[in-house]
Amino acid sequence: MTLINTTPFQDQKPGTSGLRKKVRHFQQPHYLENFVQAIFNAVGGGQNGCLVVGGDGRYFNREAVQTIVAMAIANGYKEIIVGQGGILSTPAASCVIRKYKCSGGIILSASHNPGGPDEDFGIKYNGANGGPATEQLTDKIYAESCALTSYKLSAIEAIDLDLIGTLDVEGVKVRIIDSVSDYAELMESLFDFPAMRSLLSGGEFSFCFDAMHAVTGPYAKEILINRLGAPAESVINATPEEDFGGHHPDPNLVHAADLVSKVNQNGLDFGAASDGDGDRNMIIGNNFYVNPCDSLAVLAANATLIPGYAQGLAGVARSMPTSRALDRVAAAQGLNCYETPTGWKFFGNLIDDGRITFCGEESFGTGSSHVREKDGLWAVLCWLNILASTGESVASLMRNHWQNFGRDLFTRHDYEGLDSAQAAEMMKALDEKLTNLAGSNFDGFVVETADQFAYSDPVDGSVSQRQGVRILFTNGARIVVRLSGTGTSGATLRVYLDRFINEDLECDTQAALAPLSAVASKLIGVEAFTGRKAPDVVT
Ligand code: VG1
Ligand code: CO
């Protein structure tokens, strides 16, 4: 073991989901090593535990895996489990940590951000429950990173990441495992594979899953094609590439436009896509887009059709900006519904404590107690299981749901690449307005309450302040405003708009929310502060 002297970097504060920077930033001497050592220091060293290492396969993934293995050996882990080729989707990493009772895992991903030498890289730590480090732990990691003077490295030769098997490296067991099989087995234990197999291989039902040249390809091929008998052409862009084919591996109507036109033009019954690291999902039917907030609600409402959830749900949770469609299902079924800040790290305690089974976010993230991450392919399998057991189409399932519960119109408007100082000023100005906003009337929208969302974790009592601005109106409409915590350059403003309706259920979301959007622009002053007239991405 060698102790390498280093000086701290002051910019290693983890965001919504780990530390994300440009690849070249990570490639600076000692940058990656410092952050990894900060993690190991924060968790008290390896302590003879087992560490899982894997990532979404983006550019720099392999080099980073080699470095982390050499550092984990030097830091006292007794076993290291690595996905073959350095590949593990985020939900698969969570599954492996739990299955082999590891002390934690390091996941290399910048999720939906593009990959390549000039694009993004990311790293995050997940604990023994398989879930993202809590805020207390990420604060500790940051504090360690600011004070670091050295890191520990073993001078080992590069590991052959492609060869499945167990190595003894300086007395440490290094296991290279199949990246897919543990996860596929878990999926098989949850879903009605025989019913889904008849649907997918029967020849009548047609679908397309777009892996977006990212990590989910091998998982989707194994599960949908090999185990469920779907035709080979139903999984597209299935080979993970270091630059995701030059695209944004972000499953939404903008970045998965090819999938959308394929489903609509060829009259397919179902379409789905997932992101860079496999934890997000987009679901579409034939000429029918399923909003992620609605997807979460409809899955919760129909969960008992899935064998793994036949006993019912313990409770549910959603991130604050997510629409309240889920709350209506919870109320009807007598379930508790928790509202957490953005980011998966807040769901872990609720699941571990047995309070919830399903949870999700508006940002195409849905998941359950089967792992401690959101899980894209799991959500797709939920949909396919429900379609197989009801015989409904995507559109009819969703329309019936609106008939039963009413509809929560929802949209998110993103303004990307803003000047960070301008964005901060804009948020400050909005913040200062909040206390006097109640009672104000904006073109017929009367403010009921306005505040900064604070979350108090019911399990460990920890409090997270300033998790986004909420403005609720007396007519049931809501505006949520926050800055993204996952970007790598400038600032991204996210404006979330939603409103409950109980008639004209088929209306166009953007048109119906336009008046609320106009109120939001006025309140936030996007154009005045940033010069931007319109959002870059609307989902
Ligand atoms: C975004 C989403 C958030 C999600 C996070 C990580 O964060 O809004 O809901 O949990 O990405 O997802 P932000 O701070 O940029 O709004 V992933 O798929 O990047 O791990
Ligand atoms: Co992701």
Side-chain angles (χ1 to χ4, degrees), residues 17 19-21 56 58 107-115 119-123 244 249 275-277 486 488:
S17 177
L19 182 70
R20 293 186 190 177
K21 300 283 174 199
D56 63 12
R58 67 179 58 226
I107 304 177
L108 305 169
S109 171
S111 190
H112 55 288
N113 299 12
E119 300 294 352
D120 292 355
F121 192 73
I123 173 167
F244 308 121
D275 71 336
D277 61 331
T486 57
T488 57

Side-chain angles (χ1 to χ4, degrees), residues 16-17 20 110-113 124 275 277 279-280 319 342-344 361-363 374 412 482-487 494 496:
T16 312
S17 177
R20 293 186 190 177
S111 190
H112 55 288
N113 299 12
K124 68 171 182 161
D275 71 336
D277 61 331
D279 56 1
R280 296 184 180 205
S319 68
T342 294
W344 214 260
E361 298 188 279
E362 50 64 43
S363 54
K374 52 188 182 279
R412 187 177 98 184
R482 57 183 283 281
L483 294 180
S484 157
T486 57
R494 304 202 194 285
Y496 312 77

